[in-house]
Amino acid sequence: MAVEAIDNCGQQYEAEHPDEIIERRQYGIDGLHSLSSSPPPLPLPFLRRPRLGSRLFVRGCTKRFFKALLGELGSWIGATRLRSAELLRSLVVYCEEHLTMDFHGTLPLLVRAVERATRDEEDRRRAGGGGGGGGGGGGGDKEDDSPLLTVLQETLTLIGA
């Protein structure tokens, strides 16, 4: 549903900025992935590469919240970390190589998020919580770490890291 809404915004962006769209298409800017022989498959809910207007629309908005999103990857709440990683994965699909402008600050935070999720998953396994539901305390947040690792790995694969 959200992908459809962004697609509609992209369609409107293309209607409002026809010169930019034509120029980018003519010069091959934001064209097909010609540098890599086969780009990684897109994660769900993406069935295909988003339209150019959608990618430009999302890129224009991403700068406003990207650093806060990266900060949330280190949240002490597992569900927040997972949702942040899922949003980051979607942003990688929309922003593509344009997300690497500040990658020197992004990569260390991604590495820390993967390290923390890995450590938390190992702690959970050692404690005997191989997937069984949670006793009291903070164990509920650690149930999210295995899906979190999967999302972070998918994100790194999309980035090409």
Side-chain angles (χ1 to χ4, degrees), residues 22-128:
I22 290 171
E23 183 177 313
R24 287 180 177 272
R25 286 189 179 141
Q26 283 179 341
Y27 291 115
I29 303 170
D30 292 307
L32 296 175
H33 293 287
S34 59
L35 296 178
S36 62
S37 57
S38 62
L42 296 175
L44 290 174
F46 298 98
L47 303 176
R48 59 179 165 62
R49 186 176 183 213
R51 66 185 312 136
L52 179 57
S54 298
R55 296 192 317 264
L56 293 172
F57 175 76
V58 171
R59 281 180 210 155
C61 298
T62 299
K63 293 176 187 173
R64 297 178 190 149
F65 64 88
F66 189 66
K67 289 188 184 194
L69 172 66
L70 292 175
E72 290 299 317
L73 287 174
S75 173
W76 63 277
I77 301 171
T80 301
R81 288 194 311 264
L82 179 60
R83 295 294 172 238
S84 299
E86 290 171 340
L87 179 55
L88 178 62
R89 180 182 58 191
S90 294
L91 286 177
V92 169
V93 172
Y94 281 108
C95 295
E96 298 173 336
E97 71 275 1
H98 299 276
L99 204 57
T100 61
M101 283 195 312
D102 296 320
F103 205 62
H104 65 281
T106 304
L107 187 59
L109 294 171
L110 273 172
V111 168
R112 256 185 259 142
V114 170
E115 288 172 345
R116 179 178 181 172
T118 302
R119 188 175 54 247
D120 288 350
E121 178 69 14
E122 289 170 357
D123 290 348
R124 187 172 63 88
R125 286 184 183 157
R126 265 188 253 125

Side-chain angles (χ1 to χ4, degrees), residues 143-158:
E143 290 178 20
D144 290 334
D145 290 330
S146 185
L148 176 61
L149 274 173
T150 302
V151 172
L152 289 170
Q153 289 168 345
E154 289 174 355
T155 302
L156 289 169
T157 300
L158 287 169

